[in-house]
């Protein structure tokens, strides 16, 4: 089924450094296994993976007028994402992260917010939603709930399916900040820590139900190695992860979002879509970055069909 996506919001260039055992002292150096750059962010990473999965994707957001931005646009463009909607800001650098990956899989991060903090609805062209079947908003906290709600409501009025992924850690103040967006959100795609932080709930299921009470149509929560939890009016269900040889989990949340949304576009139930999301995350976890390897929808569906899942 045709899926045309407007991916709006946070776009980041990630630099992964694989094989970090310690930070060298003084000005000493250290050899590492790999240094690799990839497109990332709750809009940018999801946009790239959706394009890999066969969707037509247009990115909208803000990047700096700098070589970091040039690289990010090139990586997205190489994956088939239309980047014409990414505006260049000369007053801030492109948002970027450096992720040193330790042998045990830990990945502390250095992050610069950069141009993502300057993006507003005024940066969207009037035709941004023309011909779109799905609006994915990554990082509604940067716009604020009122502006995010305005955009999502406009999409809903045009018959467009809406989804939202939050970037910041969850806390009750953040929930209040984005609350106006939630009644216009068909699918909310947070992680487990965000759900518990946003709601203060004792369990993930209770937290997801609390978000439904704010007007969200469906909440699909990632739980790392435990897979996902899906909450909707029909009830709550757990979806297991897939057993793979993990290289790095950076971008797996964005990959889950892309797989889930692609599943929805193909007419699958939320639980079935979450299974495709988990398989997409498992694909990405086997490399560095959302664009590692040569995967497509058929490859991800094959992984899902293999049923090599773990509880």
């Amino acid at each position: 089924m045709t899926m045309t996506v407007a991916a709006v919001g946070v776009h980041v260039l990630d630099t992964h450094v694989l094989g970090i055992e310690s930070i060298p002292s003084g000005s000493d150096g250290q050899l590492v296994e790999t240094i690799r750059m990839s497109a990332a962010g709750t809009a940018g990473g999801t946009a790239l993976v959706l394009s890999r999965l066969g969707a037509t994707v247009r990115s909208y957001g803000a990047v700096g007028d700098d070589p970091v931005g040039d690289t990010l646009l090139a990586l997205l463009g190489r994956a088939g994402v239309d980047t014409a909607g990414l505006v260049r800001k000369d007053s801030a650098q492109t948002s970027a992260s450096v992720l040193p990956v330790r042998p045990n899989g830990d990945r502390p991060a250095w992050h610069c917010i950069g141009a993502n903090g300057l993006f507003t609805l005024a940066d969207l062209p009037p035709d941004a939603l023309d011909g779109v079947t799905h609006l994915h908003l990554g990082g509604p906290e940067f716009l604020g709930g009122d502006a995010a709600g305005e955009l999502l409501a406009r999409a809903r009025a045009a018959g467009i399916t809406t989804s939202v992924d939050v970037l910041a850690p969850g806390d009750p103040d953040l929930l209040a900040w984005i609350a106006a967006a939630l009644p216009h959100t068909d699918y909310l795609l947070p992680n487990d820590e965000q759900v518990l932080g946003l709601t203060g709930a004792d369990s993930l299921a209770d937290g997801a139900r609390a978000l439904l009470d704010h007007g969200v149509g469906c909440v699909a929560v990632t739980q790392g190695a435990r897979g996902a939890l899906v909450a909707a009016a029909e009830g709550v269900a757990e979806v297991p992860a897939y057993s793979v040889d993990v290289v790095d989990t950076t971008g797996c949340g964005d990959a889950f979002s892309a797989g889930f949304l692609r599943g929805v576009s193909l007419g699958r139930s939320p639980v079935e879509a979450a299974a495709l999301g988990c398989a997409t995350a498992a694909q990405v976890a086997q490399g560095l970055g959302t664009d590692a390897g040569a995967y497509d929808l058929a490859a991800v569906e094959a992984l899902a069909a293999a049923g090599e899942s773990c509880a």
Side-chain angles (χ1 to χ4, degrees), residues 52-252:
R52 282 280 188 98
L53 299 182
T56 298
V57 187
R58 309 198 301 249
S59 268
Y60 297 95
V63 299
D65 189 12
D66 55 15
V68 180
D70 295 343
T71 302
L72 177 55
L73 266 62
L75 289 170
L76 289 167
R78 190 164 70 174
V81 177
D82 182 344
T83 62
L86 289 172
V87 298
R88 309 296 292 254
K89 302 283 188 178
D90 59 12
S91 58
Q93 75 155 80
T94 300
S95 179
S97 295
V98 177
L99 302 144
V101 184
R102 298 186 176 118
N104 67 355
D106 288 348
R107 49 179 179 92
W110 292 282
H111 179 68
C112 178
I113 292 174
N116 282 324
L118 302 180
F119 179 68
T120 70
L121 291 187
D123 291 312
L124 285 174
D127 61 352
L129 299 182
D130 289 358
V132 168
T133 63
H134 193 107
L135 167 66
H136 177 68
L137 175 59
E141 60 270 33
F142 286 90
L143 287 175
D146 290 341
E150 177 186 337
L151 175 62
L152 293 164
R154 179 153 53 102
R156 276 270 199 82
I160 296 169
T161 301
T162 62
S163 61
V164 169
D165 188 5
V166 178
L167 181 64
D171 64 55
D173 289 339
L174 177 61
L175 181 59
W177 178 245
I178 66 170
L182 300 183
H184 310 289
T185 301
D186 292 318
Y187 299 98
L188 182 64
L189 304 163
N191 62 39
D192 48 1
E193 293 181 354
Q194 288 170 330
V195 169
L196 295 176
L198 288 168
T199 64
D202 292 329
S203 74
L204 196 57
D206 286 344
R209 291 189 191 99
L211 292 170
L212 293 178
D213 290 341
H214 280 268
V216 176
C218 175
V219 182
V221 189
T222 54
Q223 305 181 83
R226 291 184 57 192
L229 178 145
V230 178
E234 298 77 18
V236 176
E238 297 266 1
V239 178
Y242 289 82
S243 179
V244 294
D245 294 327
V246 175
V247 173
D248 178 37
T249 58
T250 305
C252 285

